[in-house]
Amino acid sequence: EPKSLYPNKTFDWDNLLPACRKCNEAKGDFDTRTFPIVNPTEEDPELILTYNFLEMIPVPGTKDVKKVDDTIRVCNLNSPRLYSARADIMKSVAEYMDELREKIKLIEEADTKRKKSIRMNSLNNSLEKIDVLMQNDSAFSGYSKWIILKYPEYEKAQNILKNR
């Protein structure tokens, strides 16, 4: 709840929520008491927010579409700045998936156990780099996860390592 409207909430722990400066500025003095927006400490954003390429949208079938739409609008979650960041992530993920495809192919072509073992370790290192993008404390982790999980190469690489 904005301090300008509810000064008694300024230091209320339950009213403090980390947000990037730009999102917080966009929210400004929007009255979240009267018109609630998504609070990720109370609701799992992945269950109510998704993406259409670079655009954030409500998950189809979400009960409170107005609340989700208000969150997207009020926090300016579909700004050119965020489209650009998501596009950069999409490009990086596509490059990572090219790398996975090549490493999977090399594993399939390995003609000795030693070669296969070395290539499996290399594949594991690549997956670890990709997995970092999806960790909750990584910037844009929700979008990264959304795009990464769309690639069959990611699941195939995980299965290869699981079935060593």
Side-chain angles (χ1 to χ4, degrees):
E1 298 167 356
K3 294 176 280 200
S4 60
L5 300 176
Y6 306 100
N8 60 323
K9 294 285 208 165
T10 300
F11 299 106
D12 182 344
W13 186 255
D14 292 330
N15 192 47
L16 301 175
L17 184 66
C20 79
R21 183 178 50 83
K22 296 275 188 185
C23 293
N24 197 46
E25 287 173 0
K27 187 183 87 51
D29 63 357
F30 181 83
D31 190 350
T32 57
R33 183 183 288 181
T34 305
F35 305 101
I37 60 175
V38 174
N39 180 340
T41 65
E42 297 172 358
E43 303 168 87
D44 183 351
E46 289 183 18
L47 299 178
I48 53 179
L49 291 161
T50 192
Y51 302 88
N52 181 23
F53 295 100
L54 302 176
E55 179 185 25
M56 187 175 275
I57 60 172
V59 167
T62 298
K63 291 179 185 175
D64 198 348
V65 173
K66 181 182 179 344
K67 181 178 180 180
V68 177
D69 281 338
D70 283 350
T71 302
I72 293 168
R73 179 182 51 77
V74 166
C75 296
N76 203 17
L77 299 177
N78 284 329
S79 67
R81 172 183 72 87
L82 293 176
Y83 284 156
S84 179
R86 292 177 193 141
D88 290 344
I89 290 166
M90 189 179 282
K91 179 183 177 292
S92 293
V93 168
E95 290 168 355
Y96 281 136
M97 295 305 148
D98 286 343
E99 185 179 310
L100 286 185
R101 270 190 289 284
E102 182 60 29
K103 290 183 179 192
I104 289 168
K105 181 180 173 203
L106 290 173
I107 288 169
E108 291 170 345
E109 293 172 351
D111 57 358
T112 67
K113 284 185 178 183
R114 175 107 173 104
K115 282 182 185 177
K116 186 172 183 174
S117 176
I118 291 168
R119 293 171 184 179
M120 295 280 268
N121 287 335
S122 179
L123 180 66
N124 187 55
N125 291 338
S126 294
L127 274 179
E128 286 176 357
K129 287 190 300 190
I130 293 168
D131 288 343
V132 166
L133 298 174
M134 297 189 292
Q135 292 176 353
N136 288 339
D137 59 348
S138 293
F140 305 102
S141 61
Y143 185 73
S144 296
K145 184 175 182 181
W146 178 80
I147 195 76
I148 289 166
L149 295 179
K150 296 216 173 295
Y151 280 90
E153 293 83 0
Y154 178 75
E155 184 177 354
K156 184 173 183 177
Q158 284 186 317
N159 287 334
I160 287 170
L161 291 175
K162 191 186 320 176
N163 298 320
R164 284 188 194 209

